[in-house]
Amino acid sequence: MDNVGVLETKLRKAPRRRRVIFLLPPELHLLDLAGPAQAFDSARREGAAYTVHFCASGPEIRTAQGLSLAHLEPPPAVTPDDLIIVPGMSCHGGVPTGPFFSLEVKNWLLQAHRSGVQIASVCSGAVALGEAGLLDGRRCTTHWSILETLKTRHPTAEFVDNVLFTQDQGIITSAGVTSGIDMALWLIEGDYGPMFAARVARNLVVYLRRDGSQGQRSVYLEFRTHNHPGVHRVQDWVVQHATEKLTLEGLAEIARMSPRHLARAFKEATGFTPLQYQQQIRLELAASLMKDPRLTVEAIAAKCGFEDPRHFRRLWKEAFGTPPSAVRPQERELSA
């Protein structure tokens, strides 16, 4: 396993086996289902301990696009390790008509949440969560076209616009259509770390936007729009050995190029030198560790390959505009 992968594994307990249960409403939108389902299945193929299940009120439903889905399971008994996802459904004229689930299924959702199960919605799937009373008093979002309608229906909920997804007390809601993929990748990252999630995102040929409040991209996937195979090989090696010292000569062997040719090609393809690119990868790794209260800034710097904490702090401030302490909750409390 690469150094970064070993580091991530040490920071997390052994991954628990987790069922991802899609609760399918009638007239669901295919992309709202297929995008997140593909993300979790891709993660499973990469070694994640996920199993993907599809259930509904009946054994067959018809999607908004006219495709019928059959042999669906009934909603199963759940455990706190499970994750339930409700895809979006057709809202005629922009108005959710519903009810989309029976009282029995709504009670199943409520009991699942009370037992500690995370429940997520994609796009207009928030309508079904609202029917079950799971939006009241929570921060949430949905597709822009039905936002005002749901604000009226659920006056105690705090609906927010212009975000990819929200999380509040175990209820996760995402905005329109493809944001369900962003939400799924964020959930995968929470279970297996940013390197693993970035690998899944790359398999899906999408950018990884981890933050629900902004369109942040991952440096693991950035600067990959070029078609230079030698530079791609070097980028892969740097990501897998982010904490190791590198030499231009060693990278040139990996790229199967001369050091001079590699230096020029790498700069043209990415805008960075190989060393600058490695620093970006290290800073991304450091960002994933910053919220761990067990680690000091000095320890994070060392784990990410920075020998001098002062140099790390300087690079961090240049990259993010604030010192590392700005994202360290315990340090902010001490200085308050």
Side-chain angles (χ1 to χ4, degrees):
M1 183 183 292
D2 58 77
N3 290 345
V4 178
V6 169
L7 180 58
E8 285 196 331
T9 300
K10 288 181 178 178
L11 289 173
R12 288 172 170 78
K13 297 179 181 178
R16 65 190 187 278
R17 185 157 295 280
R18 190 177 202 191
R19 289 188 303 176
V20 182
I21 302 167
F22 287 88
L23 175 61
L24 309 187
E27 294 192 58
L28 70 86
H29 285 295
L30 283 173
L31 187 55
D32 290 359
L33 169 64
Q38 186 73 43
F40 283 105
D41 184 67
S42 180
R44 179 185 64 81
R45 294 173 187 274
E46 287 285 339
Y50 292 129
T51 58
V52 182
H53 302 262
F54 304 94
C55 68
S57 298
E60 181 174 341
I61 64 168
R62 186 174 177 83
T63 69
Q65 286 70 42
L67 178 68
S68 293
L69 305 177
H71 306 295
L72 300 171
E73 307 169 9
V78 295
T79 70
D81 284 339
D82 294 330
L83 167 66
I84 298 172
I85 301 179
V86 183
M89 70 289 287
S90 180
C91 296
H92 300 287
V95 178
T97 52
F100 291 97
F101 291 123
S102 65
L103 180 60
E104 181 181 8
V105 173
K106 293 176 188 176
N107 287 335
W108 175 77
L109 282 171
L110 279 171
Q111 291 302 319
H113 181 255
R114 288 169 182 167
S115 68
V117 176
Q118 277 188 314
I119 300 178
S121 66
V122 182
C123 195
S124 55
V127 176
L129 268 54
E131 289 181 359
L134 293 172
L135 299 184
D136 296 335
R138 291 187 173 87
R139 189 173 186 268
C140 49
T141 192
T142 187
H143 193 275
W144 61 268
S145 66
I146 60 172
L147 197 65
E148 294 304 319
T149 300
L150 288 194
K151 283 182 179 179
T152 301
R153 290 187 181 183
H154 304 284
T156 66
E158 180 190 351
F159 282 94
V160 292
D161 202 356
N162 298 320
V163 296
L164 295 173
F165 51 87
T166 65
Q167 191 280 138
D168 192 343
Q169 304 173 66
I171 299 298
I172 305 156
T173 55
S174 69
V177 196
T178 58
S179 62
I181 299 175
D182 298 302
M183 179 185 73
L185 290 170
W186 176 76
L187 288 163
I188 292 167
E189 180 181 347
D191 288 336
Y192 292 95
M195 283 288 292
F196 186 89
R199 189 156 68 245
V200 173
R202 189 177 176 194
N203 289 341
L204 299 176
V205 197
V206 297
Y207 283 110
L208 175 57
R209 300 182 292 179
R210 297 189 314 276
D211 190 339
S213 64
Q214 56 183 307
Q216 183 181 5
R217 292 175 174 176
S218 168
V219 71
Y220 300 128
L221 297 177
E222 274 285 25
F223 319 112
R224 291 282 190 162
T225 55
H226 62 86
N227 295 312
H228 197 298
V231 175
H232 277 303
R233 284 194 292 271
V234 170
Q235 287 178 287
D236 289 339
W237 189 92
V238 171
V239 167
Q240 293 167 5
H241 302 84
T243 61
E244 297 182 19
K245 290 184 177 180
L246 55 80
T247 65
L248 188 59
E249 290 73 18
L251 296 180
E253 290 184 10
I254 295 168
R256 302 166 202 163
M257 302 161 63
S258 71
R260 183 178 178 183
H261 186 194
L262 171 61
R264 184 173 62 252
F266 199 97
K267 183 74 172 181
E268 290 175 352
T270 69
F272 292 117
T273 67
L275 178 59
Q276 289 170 334
Y277 182 74
Q278 185 188 55
Q279 288 175 344
Q280 295 296 314
I281 296 294
R282 288 178 172 182
L283 287 170
E284 180 88 350
L285 179 59
S288 72
L289 306 182
M290 275 295 173
K291 294 183 181 179
D292 188 337
R294 299 169 297 176
L295 298 175
T296 64
V297 171
E298 290 73 17
I300 292 171
K303 284 179 177 292
C304 296
F306 294 99
E307 296 181 356
D308 183 355
R310 291 174 299 179
H311 179 54
F312 166 68
R313 291 175 187 272
R314 185 170 63 253
L315 289 174
W316 178 279
K317 189 169 184 179
E318 289 175 359
F320 301 108
T322 59
S325 59
V327 294
R328 303 282 291 170
Q330 69 275 24
E331 293 185 20
R332 288 202 301 270
E333 291 171 4
L334 289 172
S335 63

